[in-house]
C-alpha cells in the first residue's frame, strides 16, 4: 500500500522542526514536556496554510488534548476558538498566581508576627541573634 501525503506535508514538518529549534515549549504554559505541533486553523495537507508558520504552534500534551477535548478536531479548530482558549488558560493561570500570592503574603505576615513575638520574649543574646539572622534571611524587619 502506497502512502501519499499532501503537497505541504513535508514543509509542515520543516516548520515544526524550526519551531522546536527556536523554542521547544508550549505556547500556553511554557512547558517543554511532550510538546506537539498544533494547527491553529484546520486545513488540508494540500493547502499552503498547512505548513504556514502563522498557523502552527507547539502545545504540551495537556493543552493540546484539552483544546481538542473542548473544540474537537473538525470545524472547531479555528483561529477564534484557539484565541479564546489561550485567553481562558492565561486567565486561569493569573487567578492561580494571585491566589498563591495572597497565601504567600499571609504566610509572610505570620512569620513576621512569630519572629517579632519570639524576639520580644527571647532575652538571651544567642537567641536574639539567631532570630535576627532568621529575619534578615527572610527579608523582614523585627521590632
Amino acid at each position: 500500500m502506497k502512502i501519499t501525503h499532501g503537497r505541504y506535508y513535508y514543509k509542515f514538518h520543516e516548520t515544526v522542526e524550526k519551531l522546536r529549534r527556536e523554542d521547544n515549549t508550549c505556547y500556553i504554559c511554557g512547558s517543554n514536556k511532550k510538546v506537539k505541533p498544533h494547527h491553529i486553523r484546520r486545513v488540508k495537507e494540500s493547502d499552503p496554510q498547512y505548513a504556514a508558520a502563522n498557523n502552527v504552534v507547539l502545545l504540551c500534551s495537556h493543552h493540546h488534548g484539552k483544546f481538542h477535548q473542548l473544540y474537537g478536531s473538525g470545524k472547531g479548530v479555528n483561529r477564534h476558538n484557539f484565541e479564546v482558549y489561550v485567553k481562558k488558560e492565561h486567565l486561569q493561570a493569573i487567578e492561580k498566581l494571585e491566589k498563591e500570592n495572597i497565601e504567600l503574603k499571609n504566610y509572610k505576615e505570620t512569620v513576621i508576627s512569630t519572629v517579632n513575638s519570639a524576639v520580644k520574649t527571647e532575652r538571651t543574646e544567642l537567641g536574639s541573634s539567631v532570630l535576627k539572622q532568621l529575619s534578615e534571611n527572610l527579608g523582614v524587619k523585627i521590632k
Side-chain angles (χ1 to χ4, degrees), residues 56-109:
V56 181
V57 294
L58 298 176
L59 297 178
C60 65
S61 58
H62 167 76
H63 285 112
H64 193 240
K66 189 173 178 183
F67 176 87
H68 286 294
Q69 183 180 16
L70 291 170
Y71 298 103
S73 295
K75 292 182 180 181
V77 180
N78 59 58
R79 188 164 300 280
H80 172 76
N81 286 348
F82 183 73
E83 289 173 0
V84 167
Y85 174 69
V86 170
K87 286 177 185 173
K88 284 181 181 178
E89 290 299 308
H90 286 169
L91 285 174
Q92 287 176 357
I94 289 168
E95 289 170 1
K96 181 181 175 185
L97 288 171
E98 287 173 342
K99 182 180 176 186
E100 289 172 0
N101 189 34
I102 290 168
E103 291 171 358
L104 284 172
K105 283 181 181 178
N106 292 338
Y107 177 71
K108 182 179 178 181
E109 289 172 10

Side-chain angles (χ1 to χ4, degrees), residues 122-139:
E122 183 58 52
R123 297 293 177 218
T124 68
E125 190 176 310
L126 178 63
S128 292
S129 67
V130 168
L131 289 171
K132 286 178 184 176
Q133 185 62 47
L134 173 64
S135 68
E136 287 175 17
N137 291 344
L138 292 171

Side-chain angles (χ1 to χ4, degrees), residues 1-10 45-46 50:
M1 177 160 93
K2 182 178 178 183
I3 298 175
T4 59
H5 295 291
R7 183 177 193 174
Y8 296 96
Y9 176 84
Y10 296 103
E45 289 180 8
S46 58
Y50 186 80

